[in-house]
Amino acid sequence: AVPRLDAERVALWRAFQTAGEVVSRSIEAEMFDEFHLALPQFDLLAALAQNNDQMRVKELCEILSAVPSSLSRRIDSLVERGYVTREEAPTVEDNRAVIVRLTRMGRLVWRDSNILYRRAIQREFANGLTETEVTTMVRALTKISPFKK
């Protein structure tokens, strides 16, 4: 039986949403001050860095839950700064496929901004949680839509 949506669950959702937004805004402000990167730009650099420095645009859309038009603008802004390149890479299935590659400068910016990102998450989010609370949160999140296995 599905639990009925009660006031406590609605309040929990609002608290979860607010906490995420407040922490994200704090991290993004720091990221922008230091590296002039918005979090979505950092997320794109991180996705590339964690995937052998290159990915197809279609894969980036999936991993970042992004729509192609907004991802394209994000890629353009990083191409202009010399952090990524965009190369045509047609395949049998998709003759318009494009690969986005992290440049040497992009990798250096990602490396330094990732240090800031991890420190900010530690300070703004992780420091206040016990191991038991982390385990409980992970267990709960795996039951929520995009994380269901």
Side-chain angles (χ1 to χ4, degrees):
V2 176
R4 146 185 115 63
L5 185 61
D6 56 21
E8 187 177 27
R9 282 177 174 79
V10 171
L12 174 62
W13 167 248
R14 287 197 173 129
F16 177 74
Q17 206 176 19
T18 301
E21 288 171 6
V22 168
V23 171
S24 290
R25 274 197 302 269
S26 172
I27 293 170
E28 186 164 54
E30 201 172 333
M31 184 73 69
F32 196 82
D33 286 348
E34 193 77 27
F35 296 99
H36 300 285
L37 283 176
L39 270 183
Q41 293 171 315
F42 170 80
D43 291 339
L44 194 151
L45 295 178
L48 293 171
Q50 292 156 4
N51 286 278
N52 209 20
D53 290 355
Q54 63 181 41
M55 291 181 79
R56 294 188 181 284
V57 170
K58 186 177 177 185
E59 296 168 326
L60 280 166
C61 279
E62 288 168 15
I63 203 167
L64 297 171
S65 301
V67 292
S69 59
S70 75
L71 185 66
S72 185
R73 286 190 295 276
R74 202 182 313 176
I75 293 167
D76 288 343
S77 71
L78 294 171
V79 167
E80 285 171 20
R81 295 167 75 172
Y83 297 168
V84 301
T85 60
R86 183 190 264 134
E87 299 166 25
E88 292 181 16
T91 65
V92 175
E93 304 85 36
D94 184 0
N95 66 350
R96 298 184 321 166
V98 171
I99 285 182
V100 179
R101 291 186 204 276
L102 201 55
T103 63
R104 185 173 180 281
M105 185 165 53
R107 180 158 259 296
L108 293 173
V109 167
W110 170 77
R111 188 193 64 198
D112 291 347
S113 60
N114 191 48
I115 292 168
L116 179 148
Y117 181 74
R118 292 174 64 87
R119 284 183 182 151
I121 288 173
Q122 183 72 39
R123 183 187 65 245
E124 300 290 332
F125 173 73
N127 274 347
L129 300 172
T130 66
E131 289 305 314
T132 304
E133 290 166 334
V134 170
T135 301
T136 301
M137 288 177 81
V138 168
R139 192 175 304 126
L141 280 173
T142 58
K143 295 178 179 185
I144 298 173
S145 180
F147 307 109
K148 282 183 183 171
K149 294 200 171 37

